[in-house]
Structures are given as structure tokens and as C-alpha cells.
Amino acid sequence: MSIGYVIRTVPILEKYLGRKIRFWHIVAAIITVTALLDTFTTPAQAIFLSGLESFFNNLAQQSSQAGGGSTSTLDANVVGLTFNLIRGAFLLLVAAASLFAYNQAQQGNDWRPIVTQVGLAFSIVIAIDVITFIFVGNGAGTTSAIR
């Protein structure tokens, strides 16, 4: 819907400015606004798979306590690094698939199966988060109200 508004306002802006507006003008404006707004925000925390990461942190801590204290505990940084690697690989694969779909569309080939796979990947991650919340809760050992 927002792309439709941009497309409808481009001729109005061209008439007002007296210049032809190209695609890269719009991209530069979007990147500039995003960069300016990004300077005023605090660092974002990972949204997806965070409940599962908390659950694994608690599981590692509890497993070390169950051994009578003589076993070494798994460092929380190792679990965090593992989940950050999973998140990074997921985002890189989605970006690569999106670029490949765009390339296929530019060449006149069918791009819909690729986009379907990207949507399926997002659906799987969302399903994992929902299932984690239903069965584990927020990862701290408290279950949700759904029973």
C-alpha cells in the first residue's frame, strides 16, 4: 500500500520540483531517513528465537547444578553466540533468496516459488517462536496461560 502511495506522489513531486525523479532518488531518500532515525534509537535486541535462547541458557545452568556442582557449566555466551550465528545465517539466506528472486523476475523467469520458500522460512521461525512460548513460556521457566 505504501508503494502505491509513493508511485502516486512521484508525478506530483516531479511537477512541483520541475525535475524527473528516478528510482535512486527515492532509494537515497529512504536510506537517508533511515540512517537519521537510526542514530536516535537504542540497540535492538534479537526478536526471534529469544525465548528458545533463554530456555537453553536456563537448561545449561540447571544441568550444571544437577551434577552436584562438580560439573562445569556451559557459558551463556556460548549459547548466545550459537543463536546469533543461527539468526545471522537465517537472515543471510533470506537476503540471498530475495536477491535471487529479484534477479529471476528481471530475467522474465518465474520468481514466485523462491518467494514462497522465503515466506515458508519466515513461517517456520514464527512457528518455532509460538511453540516455544506455548510450551516453555518466556524461557525463564514460567509457562504461558494457555493450557
Side-chain angles (χ1 to χ4, degrees):
M1 192 163 95
S2 62
I3 293 173
Y5 286 127
V6 169
I7 291 171
R8 280 190 263 160
T9 56
V10 165
I12 297 168
L13 288 173
E14 286 178 345
K15 186 177 179 182
Y16 177 72
L17 296 174
R19 292 189 64 188
K20 179 85 172 145
I21 296 177
R22 307 234 184 256
F23 175 74
W24 65 271
H25 290 125
I26 296 171
V27 171
I30 291 171
I31 290 173
T32 303
V33 168
T34 304
L36 287 175
L37 292 177
D38 190 44
T39 59
F40 301 116
T41 61
T42 58
Q45 299 296 321
I47 295 175
F48 61 96
L49 302 178
S50 60
L52 195 60
E53 181 181 1
S54 298
F55 173 71
F56 275 107
N57 278 329
N58 289 337
L59 188 66
Q61 182 183 13
Q62 291 171 2
S63 68
S64 69
Q65 293 170 355
S70 62
T71 59
S72 62
T73 181
L74 181 63
D75 190 14
N77 291 332
V78 173
V79 176
L81 177 64
T82 304
F83 275 91
N84 284 339
L85 287 173
I86 291 170
R87 290 180 189 112
F90 172 75
L91 292 175
L92 286 174
L93 289 173
V94 167
S98 300
L99 288 173
F100 184 67
Y102 176 76
N103 189 21
Q104 291 293 323
Q106 290 296 318
Q107 294 176 358
N109 297 332
D110 194 15
W111 52 270
R112 290 176 294 214
I114 301 166
V115 174
T116 302
Q117 295 297 322
V118 171
L120 185 64
F122 274 112
S123 301
I124 289 171
V125 169
I126 290 171
I128 289 171
D129 277 344
V130 168
I131 290 170
T132 300
F133 181 74
I134 289 173
F135 289 109
V136 178
N138 60 0
T142 59
T143 57
S144 65
I146 302 173
R147 295 180 193 249

